[in-house]
Amino acid sequence: MSNDIDFEVLVQGLAAAGVKHSPSELQGVIAGLLATGHGGHNEELLGVLAAHVDMPEGFGAEMNGALLAVRDQLHGGYQGTGLELNLLLPADEDDLGLRVAALAQWSEGFLVGFGTGSANTHDKDLSPGVQEALSDLAAISQVATPDDDGDAEEDMFEQVAEHCRMSALMIYTELVMRHQGKPESAPADKTPPTRH
């Protein structure tokens, strides 16, 4: 399974563009938007991301291309068997605290993207499963970095990361796939309402 998007390259590109947010957080925002059926249109997606990082002038052509590649990879992951949906996190050999922080940022980003994409949706309109998944992601977004980095902590991290991945997939399946009625249709087929 190839992962064409290099976390470190994105870190450097974002830093060079003056963005203080992590690639994990931005991928989370994109994942949350896609899970509501939005984000398929380039201008919409880049506008949401630019607003999120407080860069009204945008990212520049190279970073735009990288962020759209992140979106396209996520979309492929959502549309596939589920195994292709990869969270954009630091490498396994990086410090566990760094990876835990990135997972918290991813979860926070997902909630932001989901909130943006479902702006006119009330909690009562969401299934209990979706509400629970969002609640779990909210809790994960607040998680503290571990004091230790032994095998037990590594295992826990892997389980939590997998839970985030499966939560995102479940939300996408319920809100997008089920409403489309035809899994082969891409979110870009729907014209989302403009939100200001």
Side-chain angles (χ1 to χ4, degrees):
M1 173 170 47
S2 81
N3 188 354
D4 303 328
I5 294 162
D6 187 305
F7 184 85
E8 286 306 321
V9 169
L10 262 182
V11 167
Q12 291 162 13
L14 289 169
V19 178
K20 297 189 173 18
H21 301 258
S22 75
S24 303
E25 183 178 339
L26 294 184
Q27 191 207 34
V29 173
I30 298 167
L33 257 184
L34 290 177
T36 65
H38 296 285
H41 299 284
N42 295 354
E43 296 76 20
E44 174 205 16
L45 176 76
L46 294 170
V48 167
L49 292 174
H52 179 67
V53 301
D54 202 21
M55 285 185 72
E57 71 281 3
F59 296 96
E62 191 173 336
M63 188 49 58
N64 282 348
L67 292 168
L68 293 174
V70 170
R71 188 268 319 269
D72 293 345
Q73 187 182 64
L74 272 170
H75 183 250
Y78 274 141
Q79 293 282 308
T81 63
L83 296 174
E84 300 88 0
L85 185 69
N86 296 310
L87 305 190
L88 194 54
L89 300 171
D92 290 344
E93 56 271 12
D94 282 345
D95 181 67
L96 180 63
L98 192 68
R99 289 179 283 140
V100 168
L103 188 59
Q105 291 160 359
W106 187 92
S107 300
E108 185 177 337
F110 186 94
L111 294 170
V112 168
F114 183 88
T116 301
S118 64
N120 299 318
T121 305
H122 301 287
D123 284 353
K124 64 179 174 48
D125 299 328
L126 301 171
S127 74
V130 168
Q131 290 184 44
E132 184 181 342
L134 292 170
S135 176
D136 288 350
L137 289 169
I140 293 165
S141 75
Q142 302 298 316
V143 76
T145 53
D147 297 326
D148 199 4
D149 58 358
D151 289 346
E153 288 76 14
E154 284 287 346
D155 288 347
M156 180 63 76
F157 171 78
E158 292 298 329
Q159 289 173 25
V160 174
E162 180 64 8
H163 186 67
C164 289
R165 200 175 75 78
M166 295 310 293
S167 295
L169 266 172
M170 186 273 288
I171 293 169
Y172 178 83
T173 299
E174 186 153 323
L175 298 186
V176 179
M177 297 279 236
R178 232 170 246 164
H179 292 297
Q180 286 175 343
K182 32 186 203 299
E184 68 279 1
S185 180
D189 295 346
K190 287 171 37 176
T191 306
T194 307
R195 193 165 167 271
H196 296 285

